[in-house]
Amino acid sequence: MVKRLVLVLGDQLSAGLSALREADKANDLIVMAEVGDEAGYVPHHPKKIALVLSAMRHFAAELEEDGWRVAYTRMDDAEASKSIVGELMRRGQEHGVSAVLATRPGEWRLIEALENAPLSVTLLPDDRFICSLDEFDDWAEGRKELRMEYFYREMRRKTGLMMEEGKPAGGKWNYDHDNRKPASDDMLRSQPMQFTPDEMTEEVLDLVEAQFGENFGALRPFHFAVTRAQALRALDHFAKHLLEGFGDYQDAMLQGDKFLHHSVLSPYLNIGLLDPVEICARVEEEWKAGRVPINAAEGFIRQVTGWREYVRGIYFREGPDYTARNALGHKRDLPWMYWGGETRMNCVGHAVAQTREEAYAHHIQRLMVTGNFALLAGVHPGQLHEWYLAVYADAFEWVEAPNTIGMSQFADGGIIASKPYVSSGNYIAKMSDYCGGCAYSVKEKVGEGACPFNLLFWDFMQRHRERFEGNPRMGQMYRTWDRMDEGKRDAVLDGARRILDKLDAGEVV
């Protein structure tokens, strides 16, 4: 006999999930479902779909081995419904129950669907985070600016990570100044751990190929971890072999090295196979043992305990309309090159090609290449948001939307960022080897061969001068523009207009 249904979603694959802790093995039925609405509400990368579905199937098998009753729906089951609520209603009718226990989803769309379902749904807090949503609201209340740095310090104090007698290790909270070194090719550099698909994963790959093979992205080869045991091995491999150089080179980009010293653990963390504190404790362990420098450990811990927790707080504090915000009024359609169309810009081409192949690109490729170009070109932030949500394996709305709408596109009007993250081609030239093989010249500021980032940077600054001229972090740039020769200024804006006209006409840029 079943007294209650317990919902476990595809990004809630944690044995310590609040709904599982509150559930009763004797009387409750776990409901897990692969449904069309979740796989298709944006055109997800095939690798992302395969990761979630395979991890779900493996987790369901582990639950059954642990004595739980699990009702699992596969996407190709004849009786499968298209939605999570539909599956809950179907299972409820089968067993004559209407009570549902669930952990709060990480997306407003699903929260509202469950709250409006014709069932008796109890939503428990998702406490797999360091900071509860109430704690974040308490921290944010009354502050004029919600700056991540100050929030991060609170998380360090709360966890005790890299703290010594109540003070930050080494005497500083933040070692980011040491983390902006360009990298060089290194054939001996290790790579993130990869895994060979087992039989269950191969079945998923065949399903995804049949149903989502037309989506942007290469499905095979598939090397993601799909179980907690595998994810823990990936964490250990990163800590031992890659963490040491993470700090120095976390902002670097190389054509011949997709991953550099990045962990590629975020997909596993965001679907629940890893816990944020255990990841950071493992990193701290390497630093305490003297095997990695302080800037590497602190930089990684800041991303997990600071930035990740902060953007979640922002997403839920700002509410369901956050993804629709467009403070700068940008309306241009997302260029076709983001979906693999031809481009003469080597940096964008490499970032998109890597995204297509791996369902992954690191934060600087996202922020300062694809994000920077979209912002300079005036792309509609909602379109870019849906692209990021679709193409990256670690993208779930609670974490992706603030990074895109707030950090990358300034579409929230400055809640997250104190100024837009825009730059000319100089930043990319400094931090990568992309520019050497480009059809454009990063050294050229005007003319047909000038780097589009150089031209569009000044065009953006002039379009939004009224808004940003008084920003203390941007005033110097406007003074630089005003000192330019008038003929040069006209040539820059004419060049930018030609690029934007080409984008609007669907021509190659």
Side-chain angles (χ1 to χ4, degrees):
M1 180 179 177
V2 173
K3 292 185 178 180
R4 184 173 55 178
L5 306 178
V6 179
L7 175 65
V8 176
L9 297 170
D11 61 347
Q12 297 179 341
L13 309 181
S14 309
L17 189 73
S18 57
L20 290 174
R21 294 202 314 271
E22 293 293 320
D24 176 9
K25 284 183 181 178
N27 296 302
D28 292 341
L29 177 70
I30 305 296
V31 175
M32 298 180 68
E34 304 167 6
V35 295
D37 280 3
E38 298 310 305
Y41 70 97
V42 292
H44 294 292
H45 196 296
K47 271 190 173 72
K48 179 182 183 181
I49 299 173
L51 166 65
V52 174
L53 298 192
S54 180
M56 285 176 66
R57 293 187 186 187
H58 283 87
F59 188 69
E62 291 172 2
L63 289 174
E64 289 179 331
E65 289 175 9
D66 194 37
W68 292 95
R69 286 182 291 175
V70 180
Y72 192 97
T73 303
R74 297 190 175 200
M75 194 166 292
D76 53 357
D77 288 348
E79 66 274 19
S81 53
K82 287 188 174 182
S83 69
I84 294 295
V85 170
E87 279 303 292
L88 288 171
M89 292 177 65
R90 184 168 74 89
R91 297 300 187 184
Q93 290 169 359
E94 284 178 2
H95 297 278
V97 296
S98 61
V100 176
L101 183 65
T103 294
R104 195 179 197 223
E107 190 167 343
W108 286 111
R109 176 184 59 88
L110 265 180
I111 292 170
E112 292 171 352
L114 290 173
E115 289 179 341
N116 294 326
L119 297 160
S120 178
V121 179
T122 299
L123 291 180
L124 299 176
D126 189 347
D127 54 13
R128 298 173 299 162
F129 293 84
I130 297 165
C131 183
S132 73
L133 298 179
D134 287 342
E135 283 179 297
F136 186 85
D137 284 343
D138 288 345
W139 172 80
E141 197 63 38
R143 291 176 182 265
K144 292 182 179 180
E145 295 181 329
L146 302 182
R147 293 292 169 251
M148 192 281 291
E149 177 65 26
Y150 301 111
F151 171 77
Y152 163 59
R153 295 177 186 182
E154 293 302 315
M155 294 303 98
R156 286 273 295 279
R157 293 187 181 101
K158 180 176 181 178
T159 61
L161 289 162
M162 298 188 73
M163 296 293 291
E164 296 172 341
E165 299 180 353
K167 295 181 180 180
K172 291 199 302 183
W173 291 103
N174 186 319
Y175 290 83
D176 200 38
H177 180 74
D178 301 329
N179 296 344
R180 300 191 181 107
K181 296 177 183 175
S184 57
D185 289 321
D186 182 354
M187 294 182 66
L188 300 180
R189 185 184 289 120
S190 186
Q191 296 287 300
M193 182 167 278
Q194 297 184 339
F195 299 89
T196 301
D198 62 8
E199 184 177 350
M200 187 179 291
T201 300
E202 287 290 356
E203 288 182 3
V204 168
L205 293 175
D206 290 342
L207 169 70
V208 172
E209 189 171 45
Q211 296 201 13
F212 303 98
E214 298 303 311
N215 284 20
F216 170 84
L219 175 62
R220 289 182 169 93
F222 182 89
H223 297 303
F224 281 125
V226 293
T227 67
R228 173 164 168 78
Q230 288 181 336
L232 285 169
R233 287 175 59 198
L235 168 60
D236 191 61
H237 175 82
F238 165 70
K240 288 180 177 177
H241 302 292
L242 289 164
L243 174 61
E244 181 180 5
F246 172 78
D248 288 350
Y249 306 116
Q250 65 173 285
D251 286 6
M253 299 170 282
L254 288 177
Q255 296 181 77
D257 192 330
K258 300 173 184 176
F259 306 110
L260 290 164
H261 289 267
H262 289 273
S263 70
V264 197
L265 295 174
S266 54
Y268 315 143
L269 180 58
N270 290 350
I271 64 175
L273 299 181
L274 294 176
D275 173 82
V277 173
E278 74 180 343
I279 289 179
C280 293
R282 182 70 182 85
V283 167
E284 183 188 44
E285 178 186 331
E286 291 296 304
W287 168 72
K288 283 184 173 180
R291 291 188 288 265
V292 304
I294 194 168
N295 67 310
E298 186 279 321
F300 189 89
I301 286 172
R302 177 161 23 92
Q303 287 195 2
V304 177
T305 66
W307 189 253
R308 182 175 184 266
E309 299 282 330
Y310 169 79
V311 295
R312 176 178 181 255
I314 292 290
Y315 176 77
F316 282 108
R317 182 176 175 82
E318 290 302 311
D321 74 333
Y322 187 76
T323 58
R325 296 186 191 178
N326 189 359
L328 300 183
H330 285 173
K331 299 179 180 178
R332 183 163 280 106
D333 286 336
L334 188 71
W336 181 239
M337 61 185 171
Y338 281 71
W339 296 108
E342 183 182 355
T343 178
R344 298 172 65 214
M345 289 185 290
N346 198 39
C347 58
V348 175
H350 263 87
V352 171
Q354 177 179 320
T355 298
R356 182 177 59 241
E357 294 162 10
E358 306 292 345
Y360 169 83
H362 74 66
H363 64 285
I364 294 299
Q365 292 170 305
R366 300 187 205 194
L367 179 65
M368 300 309 298
V369 179
T370 53
N372 185 19
F373 185 83
L375 181 55
L376 294 177
V379 169
H380 192 293
Q383 292 190 25
L384 187 70
H385 150 64
E386 292 194 354
W387 183 77
Y388 281 125
L389 188 60
V391 301
Y392 290 118
D394 58 3
F396 296 87
E397 194 172 272
W398 65 267
V399 66
E400 174 277 326
N403 273 291
T404 304
I405 299 297
M407 182 71 169
S408 173
Q409 300 301 293
F410 205 81
D412 66 2
I415 293 170
I416 288 181
S418 58
K419 76 173 189 64
Y421 270 81
V422 290
S423 80
S424 67
N426 289 336
Y427 180 86
I428 296 170
K430 176 185 175 184
M431 297 308 302
S432 78
D433 62 356
Y434 291 152
C435 297
C438 189
Y440 298 100
S441 172
V442 70
K443 295 180 181 179
E444 296 296 327
K445 309 303 181 184
V446 294
E448 286 293 328
C451 173
F453 282 90
N454 293 343
L455 300 169
L456 294 177
F457 172 78
W458 289 117
D459 185 73
F460 172 91
M461 295 291 287
Q462 294 316 299
R463 293 200 314 269
H464 298 293
R465 181 160 190 158
E466 184 176 349
R467 175 185 283 268
F468 295 124
E469 187 172 19
N471 186 308
R473 298 181 66 194
M474 300 178 75
Q476 179 58 44
M477 290 181 275
Y478 283 106
R479 289 190 288 274
T480 298
W481 171 261
D482 291 341
R483 288 194 299 267
M484 277 187 203
D485 176 80
E486 184 176 356
K488 183 177 180 180
R489 291 202 302 259
D490 290 343
V492 167
L493 296 181
D494 286 346
R497 177 50 49 198
R498 287 196 298 271
I499 290 169
L500 295 175
D501 287 345
K502 284 184 176 181
L503 288 176
D504 292 340
E507 298 175 12
V508 175
V509 170

